[in-house]
Amino acid sequence: MPVERDLPARGRTLALRTRLLLAMLVPLLAVAVLLGLAGATLIADVVRRANDRVLGGALGAIADTVQVEGGAVTLDLPPAAFAMLQNAQRDNIYYRVAVGRTLLTGYPDLSAPDIAGLIAGTPRYRYARFRGQDVRIAEVRRALPGVAAPVIVQVAETLDSRRALRWRLIAALVAGELVLVSVAVLLIRPALGWSLRPLATLRGAVTARDTRATPDLSPLETGPLPEELRPLADAFDHLLARLDAATAGMRRFTADASHQMRTPLSVLKVQVALARRGDPDALGEIADAADRLERLVTQLLALARAEEAGALPPLEDVDLREVAIAVINRRIGQAIDAGVELNLVAATGPFLVAAHRTLLFEIVSNLLDNAIRYNRAGGLVVVVIERAAGATTIAVADDGPGLPAADLERAGQRFVRLASSAGREGSGLGLAIVRSAAQRLGAELAIINTDPGLRVTLTFSQPDRVARAAR
């Protein structure tokens, strides 16, 4: 049965397919608009140049007929000059021929040019208003022999034909762009579906895990994935692997804890039964069993804290010397009962390390507990705190029997009772708590035989705090 849990609130946003479609279509439409504007400008220029060429041809044909006969300027208007300007829109044609400011023939109210600005033999084109219409005027200046004043020839036409041609070409351009954008839209949608299919495959592989009776934490079976999705699948597989390890550790922890707690609970039940029968020694045994059970539960909770999954809160500056003194004060009664002497070797001043006070306290407390518990009567336990080579170390050493070489490799495994602890009370959790907490703090743990005795050293490599402590 799936476990119900509150999911984080997530706002709604556009679908990935819609976002990709917009990301493609908006630039495409922008480019189409820009191309349309550029095309319309080019079309207007081409239409103007083509019609100006025809208008210039008519102007040249009329100008060529201007002659001087008997000292007078004559003109023979050729019909072909006006025929070439005829079109379906029936644009109006106007002309004017003048000698200086004197009209020779044509429309007298046609806009006269600035004669000084005309270059002889070079046509000039300009727009003007004539009789309430926009017109295009072509004009040229000619110099005739024997005539002092320049001859000005002008031909004008209305712009209906030009506008009609320009709008036809622009309409064809817009229609072509619309067809192009429509085809692109029709092709992009199935292309997006094909491109997003691996994402749907990945989602299906994840969703399929939720339909199974037991959690499946094995890697996802998705087949080949695109390069962009492989990091996501790898990250999810890594998360599944961590979850599988955490789940396996929890199952192992629960099984081991239940096994370890079964013995003191059985002893309690037996002693309670004896106490009910009036056995005078049963109450003492009950108290001992309760003490062992309390210590086991305390160590199990400490181990759970040391192995707790998830991110730790920010590290804080903790004084190793202060923690060591606090632990020694707590363990001094245990040392007196065991006939063991406790010593602290540390210079004055703080020994700051980046750690968590609770985990560091658990480490030193379990190391002292082991050193006292497994030492010989009349033995010595020394806590040494040193600072050297950019690192701060704390070591707990005893002069007890130490560990056989075969046991050194297994030291720190949970619920492992080493050969040297046979016949002594314990649960096999002390060094496991120390090792797990040290890993959480990023400290290096070393366990060595000193012959006689055992030395456990914890090293914090933090030169910045070392320098600060030295000041």
Side-chain angles (χ1 to χ4, degrees), residues 178-204:
L178 289 177
V179 171
L180 178 63
V181 172
S182 300
V183 171
V185 171
L186 293 177
L187 294 179
I188 285 175
R189 290 193 65 86
L192 285 177
W194 175 77
S195 300
L196 294 176
R197 193 174 301 163
L199 188 59
T201 301
L202 181 61
R203 181 186 63 185

Side-chain angles (χ1 to χ4, degrees), residues 42-57:
L42 180 62
I43 287 172
D45 184 66
V46 170
V47 170
R48 179 183 59 79
R49 289 175 180 274
N51 283 272
D52 282 354
R53 190 176 295 112
V54 176
L55 187 61

